[in-house]
Amino acid sequence: RGNQILPNRRVMARLDTMDVFDTTILLSDHYRPIQNAEVVDFARQLTKNDKSVTIETLGALGQGETVWLLMNLGGFQVKKDEMQKYLLFTNNHSGKQCFRGLSTAVRVVCQNTLSLAMGSGKDSGFAIRHKGNLADNLAEAQKIMGIALEEYEKFSEAATAMANKQIKGKDVDIVLNILYPNPEHKADGTPVDATNAINERAKVKELFEKGAGNDDSSVKGTVWALLNGVTDYKKKKKNTG
Protein backbone atom coordinates (compact mmCIF):
# COMPACT_ATOMS: atom_id res chain seq x y z
CA ARG A 1 0.00 0.00 0.00
CA GLY A 2 1.69 3.13 -1.19
CA ASN A 3 5.39 2.44 -0.94
CA GLN A 4 4.96 -0.15 1.82
CA ILE A 5 6.50 -3.56 1.09
CA LEU A 6 4.46 -6.47 2.41
CA PRO A 7 6.39 -9.75 2.68
CA ASN A 8 4.95 -12.88 1.05
CA ARG A 9 2.30 -10.85 -0.80
CA ARG A 10 1.99 -10.19 -4.52
CA VAL A 11 -0.30 -8.53 -7.06
CA MET A 12 -1.26 -9.78 -10.51
CA ALA A 13 -0.04 -7.90 -13.59
CA ARG A 14 -0.01 -8.41 -17.37
CA LEU A 15 3.35 -9.65 -18.65
CA ASP A 16 3.18 -7.55 -21.81
CA THR A 17 2.48 -4.18 -20.16
CA MET A 18 3.17 -4.90 -16.47
CA ASP A 19 -0.13 -3.16 -15.67
CA VAL A 20 -1.50 -4.35 -12.33
CA PHE A 21 -5.08 -5.66 -12.55
CA ASP A 22 -6.11 -4.66 -9.03
CA THR A 23 -3.76 -3.01 -6.53
CA THR A 24 -6.20 -3.64 -3.67
CA ILE A 25 -5.92 -7.43 -3.94
CA LEU A 26 -2.78 -8.89 -2.39
CA LEU A 27 -2.02 -12.53 -3.15
CA SER A 28 -0.05 -15.04 -1.10
CA ASP A 29 2.92 -17.01 -2.37
CA HIS A 30 0.58 -20.00 -2.75
CA TYR A 31 -1.41 -18.28 -5.51
CA ARG A 32 -0.70 -19.72 -8.96
CA PRO A 33 -1.92 -17.89 -12.09
CA ILE A 34 -3.87 -19.90 -14.65
CA GLN A 35 -2.66 -18.68 -18.03
CA ASN A 36 -5.01 -18.24 -20.99
CA ALA A 37 -3.15 -20.92 -22.96
CA GLU A 38 -3.82 -23.37 -20.13
CA VAL A 39 -7.56 -22.67 -20.35
CA VAL A 40 -7.53 -23.39 -24.09
CA ASP A 41 -5.49 -26.58 -23.63
CA PHE A 42 -7.85 -27.64 -20.85
CA ALA A 43 -10.84 -27.23 -23.18
CA ARG A 44 -9.10 -29.03 -26.05
CA GLN A 45 -8.55 -32.05 -23.84
CA LEU A 46 -12.32 -32.30 -23.42
CA THR A 47 -12.87 -32.38 -27.18
CA LYS A 48 -10.43 -35.23 -27.85
CA ASN A 49 -12.86 -38.08 -27.24
CA ASP A 50 -15.99 -36.36 -28.56
CA LYS A 51 -15.73 -34.65 -31.93
CA SER A 52 -19.26 -33.23 -31.58
CA VAL A 53 -17.97 -30.95 -28.80
CA THR A 54 -16.20 -27.86 -30.14
CA ILE A 55 -14.67 -24.65 -28.83
CA GLU A 56 -17.01 -21.93 -30.11
CA THR A 57 -15.79 -18.62 -28.72
CA LEU A 58 -13.05 -17.18 -26.52
CA GLY A 59 -13.04 -13.65 -25.14
CA ALA A 60 -11.58 -11.24 -22.61
CA LEU A 61 -13.16 -8.36 -20.71
CA GLY A 62 -11.83 -5.22 -19.08
CA GLN A 63 -8.06 -5.04 -19.25
CA GLY A 64 -7.93 -8.79 -19.81
CA GLU A 65 -8.53 -9.69 -16.17
CA THR A 66 -11.62 -11.75 -17.02
CA VAL A 67 -11.35 -14.46 -19.65
CA TRP A 68 -14.08 -16.81 -20.80
CA LEU A 69 -14.22 -19.79 -23.15
CA LEU A 70 -17.45 -21.27 -24.50
CA MET A 71 -17.72 -24.86 -25.68
CA ASN A 72 -20.59 -25.97 -27.92
CA LEU A 73 -21.99 -29.31 -26.78
CA GLY A 74 -24.34 -29.61 -29.75
CA GLY A 75 -28.02 -28.83 -30.03
CA PHE A 76 -31.49 -30.26 -30.36
CA GLN A 77 -34.75 -29.15 -31.93
CA VAL A 78 -38.21 -28.81 -30.42
CA LYS A 79 -40.55 -28.52 -33.39
CA LYS A 80 -39.12 -25.41 -35.09
CA ASP A 81 -37.28 -24.10 -32.03
CA GLU A 82 -33.55 -24.80 -32.17
CA MET A 83 -31.88 -25.17 -28.77
CA GLN A 84 -28.14 -25.08 -28.08
CA LYS A 85 -26.20 -26.37 -25.11
CA TYR A 86 -22.86 -25.00 -23.91
CA LEU A 87 -20.13 -25.53 -21.35
CA LEU A 88 -18.66 -22.25 -20.09
CA PHE A 89 -15.25 -21.71 -18.49
CA THR A 90 -14.32 -18.42 -16.84
CA ASN A 91 -11.01 -17.35 -15.35
CA ASN A 92 -10.09 -14.20 -13.44
CA HIS A 93 -6.53 -12.90 -13.34
CA SER A 94 -6.96 -10.26 -10.63
CA GLY A 95 -7.35 -12.74 -7.78
CA LYS A 96 -11.03 -12.01 -7.16
CA GLN A 97 -12.50 -15.28 -8.40
CA CYS A 98 -11.74 -18.95 -8.92
CA PHE A 99 -11.62 -20.71 -12.27
CA ARG A 100 -15.25 -21.73 -12.96
CA GLY A 101 -16.89 -24.29 -15.21
CA LEU A 102 -20.65 -24.64 -15.70
CA SER A 103 -23.27 -25.70 -18.22
CA THR A 104 -25.52 -23.05 -19.75
CA ALA A 105 -27.97 -22.42 -22.57
CA VAL A 106 -26.69 -18.84 -22.93
CA ARG A 107 -24.35 -18.08 -25.84
CA VAL A 108 -21.77 -15.79 -24.25
CA VAL A 109 -20.52 -12.96 -26.45
CA CYS A 110 -20.16 -10.00 -24.04
CA GLN A 111 -20.26 -8.88 -20.41
CA ASN A 112 -24.07 -8.93 -20.28
CA THR A 113 -24.43 -12.47 -21.60
CA LEU A 114 -21.55 -13.63 -19.38
CA SER A 115 -23.33 -12.19 -16.34
CA LEU A 116 -26.57 -13.87 -17.43
CA ALA A 117 -24.88 -17.26 -17.84
CA MET A 118 -23.01 -16.97 -14.53
CA GLY A 119 -26.15 -15.88 -12.72
CA SER A 120 -28.31 -18.70 -14.06
CA GLY A 121 -25.61 -21.28 -13.27
CA LYS A 122 -24.32 -19.90 -9.97
CA ASP A 123 -25.28 -23.04 -8.04
CA SER A 124 -23.98 -25.52 -10.60
CA GLY A 125 -20.68 -26.59 -12.11
CA PHE A 126 -17.34 -26.51 -10.34
CA ALA A 127 -14.75 -24.06 -9.08
CA ILE A 128 -10.97 -24.48 -9.01
CA ARG A 129 -8.78 -22.33 -6.80
CA HIS A 130 -5.59 -20.87 -8.25
CA LYS A 131 -3.33 -23.51 -6.76
CA GLY A 132 -1.70 -26.55 -8.33
CA ASN A 133 -2.20 -27.62 -11.93
CA LEU A 134 -5.40 -26.94 -13.89
CA ALA A 135 -4.92 -30.14 -15.89
CA ASP A 136 -5.24 -32.14 -12.66
CA ASN A 137 -8.93 -31.17 -12.60
CA LEU A 138 -9.71 -32.51 -16.07
CA ALA A 139 -11.68 -35.45 -14.66
CA GLU A 140 -13.96 -33.04 -12.78
CA ALA A 141 -14.59 -31.05 -15.97
CA GLN A 142 -15.37 -34.25 -17.89
CA LYS A 143 -17.81 -35.22 -15.15
CA ILE A 144 -19.59 -31.84 -15.37
CA MET A 145 -19.73 -32.09 -19.15
CA GLY A 146 -21.25 -35.57 -18.88
CA ILE A 147 -23.84 -34.35 -16.38
CA ALA A 148 -24.65 -31.39 -18.62
CA LEU A 149 -25.21 -33.66 -21.63
CA GLU A 150 -27.50 -35.90 -19.54
CA GLU A 151 -29.47 -32.89 -18.27
CA TYR A 152 -29.92 -31.53 -21.77
CA GLU A 153 -31.07 -34.94 -23.00
CA LYS A 154 -33.71 -35.03 -20.26
CA PHE A 155 -34.76 -31.48 -21.06
CA SER A 156 -34.99 -32.35 -24.76
CA GLU A 157 -37.37 -35.21 -23.96
CA ALA A 158 -39.46 -33.03 -21.62
CA ALA A 159 -39.58 -30.18 -24.13
CA THR A 160 -40.71 -32.51 -26.92
CA ALA A 161 -43.45 -33.87 -24.67
CA MET A 162 -44.60 -30.31 -23.83
CA ALA A 163 -44.62 -29.37 -27.53
CA ASN A 164 -46.92 -32.33 -28.24
CA LYS A 165 -49.31 -31.56 -25.37
CA GLN A 166 -52.19 -29.16 -25.96
CA ILE A 167 -53.40 -27.15 -22.96
CA LYS A 168 -56.95 -25.85 -22.57
CA GLY A 169 -57.79 -22.24 -21.79
CA LYS A 170 -59.05 -22.97 -18.28
CA ASP A 171 -55.86 -24.89 -17.49
CA VAL A 172 -53.77 -21.97 -18.78
CA ASP A 173 -55.64 -19.72 -16.34
CA ILE A 174 -54.99 -22.14 -13.48
CA VAL A 175 -51.26 -22.17 -14.21
CA LEU A 176 -51.08 -18.38 -14.52
CA ASN A 177 -53.01 -17.90 -11.28
CA ILE A 178 -50.43 -20.08 -9.53
CA LEU A 179 -47.48 -18.22 -11.09
CA TYR A 180 -48.96 -14.72 -10.69
CA PRO A 181 -51.49 -14.94 -7.83
CA ASN A 182 -53.56 -12.05 -6.56
CA PRO A 183 -52.08 -10.57 -3.38
CA GLU A 184 -53.55 -11.77 -0.10
CA HIS A 185 -55.93 -9.61 1.91
CA LYS A 186 -54.51 -7.43 4.64
CA ALA A 187 -54.61 -8.63 8.25
CA ASP A 188 -57.85 -6.71 8.83
CA GLY A 189 -59.47 -8.37 5.81
CA THR A 190 -59.15 -5.37 3.52
CA PRO A 191 -58.56 -6.47 -0.09
CA VAL A 192 -55.30 -5.49 -1.79
CA ASP A 193 -55.20 -4.04 -5.30
CA ALA A 194 -54.67 -6.97 -7.72
CA THR A 195 -54.10 -4.86 -10.84
CA ASN A 196 -50.42 -5.83 -11.20
CA ALA A 197 -51.13 -9.56 -10.96
CA ILE A 198 -54.03 -9.28 -13.42
CA ASN A 199 -51.85 -7.38 -15.89
CA GLU A 200 -49.03 -9.89 -15.59
CA ARG A 201 -51.34 -12.80 -16.32
CA ALA A 202 -52.77 -10.95 -19.33
CA LYS A 203 -49.32 -10.19 -20.74
CA VAL A 204 -48.13 -13.79 -20.38
CA LYS A 205 -51.34 -15.08 -21.94
CA GLU A 206 -50.85 -12.75 -24.91
CA LEU A 207 -47.28 -14.05 -25.36
CA PHE A 208 -48.58 -17.62 -25.04
CA GLU A 209 -51.01 -16.95 -27.89
CA LYS A 210 -49.08 -14.50 -30.08
CA GLY A 211 -45.47 -14.46 -28.89
CA ALA A 212 -42.54 -15.07 -31.24
CA GLY A 213 -42.96 -18.54 -32.71
CA ASN A 214 -45.94 -19.41 -30.50
CA ASP A 215 -48.45 -18.72 -33.28
CA ASP A 216 -46.84 -21.42 -35.42
CA SER A 217 -49.24 -24.32 -35.96
CA SER A 218 -46.69 -26.87 -34.73
CA VAL A 219 -46.66 -25.45 -31.16
CA LYS A 220 -49.71 -23.19 -30.96
CA GLY A 221 -51.76 -23.86 -27.82
CA THR A 222 -49.23 -26.28 -26.32
CA VAL A 223 -47.57 -26.45 -22.91
CA TRP A 224 -44.31 -25.56 -24.70
CA ALA A 225 -45.88 -22.35 -25.99
CA LEU A 226 -47.01 -21.51 -22.45
CA LEU A 227 -43.50 -22.08 -21.13
CA ASN A 228 -42.12 -19.86 -23.88
CA GLY A 229 -44.68 -17.19 -22.99
CA VAL A 230 -43.63 -17.21 -19.33
CA THR A 231 -39.94 -17.15 -20.27
CA ASP A 232 -40.41 -14.32 -22.78
CA TYR A 233 -42.32 -12.27 -20.22
CA LYS A 234 -39.58 -12.70 -17.60
CA LYS A 235 -36.96 -11.56 -20.14
CA LYS A 236 -38.99 -8.53 -21.18
CA LYS A 237 -39.67 -7.61 -17.57
CA LYS A 238 -35.99 -7.87 -16.68
CA ASN A 239 -34.91 -5.77 -19.67
CA THR A 240 -37.38 -3.02 -18.83
CA GLY A 241 -36.36 -3.00 -15.16
Side-chain angles (χ1 to χ4, degrees):
R1 296 162 186 166
N3 293 325
Q4 183 180 3
I5 297 177
L6 299 178
N8 302 319
R9 290 291 184 270
R10 299 176 294 177
V11 292
M12 285 292 294
R14 293 180 61 112
L15 286 175
D16 54 351
T17 63
M18 294 309 296
D19 290 335
V20 176
F21 288 121
D22 194 328
T23 57
T24 66
I25 299 178
L26 302 179
L27 308 170
S28 73
D29 286 340
H30 299 294
Y31 185 92
R32 179 188 176 280
I34 297 175
Q35 304 293 349
N36 295 343
E38 291 181 80
V39 177
V40 175
D41 288 341
F42 188 73
R44 282 175 175 165
Q45 290 297 317
L46 291 173
T47 67
K48 277 190 173 181
N49 298 324
D50 191 342
K51 299 304 180 183
S52 65
V53 177
T54 59
I55 297 175
E56 179 158 317
T57 52
L58 174 67
L61 301 171
Q63 300 300 314
E65 66 271 18
T66 300
V67 176
W68 51 267
L69 184 148
L70 192 69
M71 300 186 68
N72 192 319
L73 304 182
F76 59 91
Q77 199 153 347
V78 181
K79 300 298 184 178
K80 295 183 180 180
D81 288 337
E82 191 170 332
M83 315 292 290
Q84 291 293 327
K85 44 186 185 268
Y86 302 102
L87 185 63
L88 173 68
F89 294 131
T90 65
N91 187 38
N92 184 276
H93 291 304
S94 68
K96 286 183 179 179
Q97 298 170 341
C98 297
F99 177 90
R100 288 281 314 275
L102 56 93
S103 61
T104 179
V106 178
R107 185 175 185 272
V108 177
V109 294
C110 62
Q111 177 66 70
N112 289 339
T113 48
L114 177 61
S115 298
L116 179 61
M118 296 298 289
S120 61
K122 63 182 179 180
D123 297 322
S124 64
F126 64 94
I128 300 172
R129 298 180 66 183
H130 288 75
K131 293 182 179 180
N133 192 336
L134 180 62
D136 293 339
N137 295 276
L138 185 62
E140 181 67 18
Q142 290 173 324
K143 177 182 176 182
I144 294 299
M145 188 171 74
I147 293 173
L149 289 170
E150 289 178 5
E151 288 176 347
Y152 282 122
E153 182 63 30
K154 292 177 182 177
F155 177 69
S156 173
E157 294 174 359
T160 299
M162 285 189 283
N164 289 323
K165 177 69 174 178
Q166 288 287 318
I167 182 169
K168 297 179 180 179
K170 64 177 182 179
D171 292 326
V172 171
D173 291 335
I174 291 173
V175 172
L176 295 182
N177 277 309
I178 293 173
L179 293 177
Y180 306 99
N182 290 341
E184 297 180 358
H185 285 52
K186 295 180 180 179
D188 61 1
T190 304
V192 179
D193 185 8
T195 301
N196 287 341
I198 293 172
N199 289 340
E200 285 191 308
R201 293 195 294 268
K203 289 175 182 177
V204 173
K205 195 166 187 178
E206 182 179 5
L207 288 170
F208 159 65
E209 296 172 345
K210 302 177 183 177
N214 282 352
D215 56 351
D216 187 275
S217 60
S218 64
V219 296
K220 186 176 180 62
T222 64
V223 177
W224 179 249
L226 180 57
L227 175 62
N228 285 340
V230 173
T231 303
D232 287 348
Y233 175 68
K234 289 182 68 175
K235 288 180 180 178
K236 292 177 185 295
K237 187 177 180 180
K238 183 176 181 179
N239 291 337
T240 56

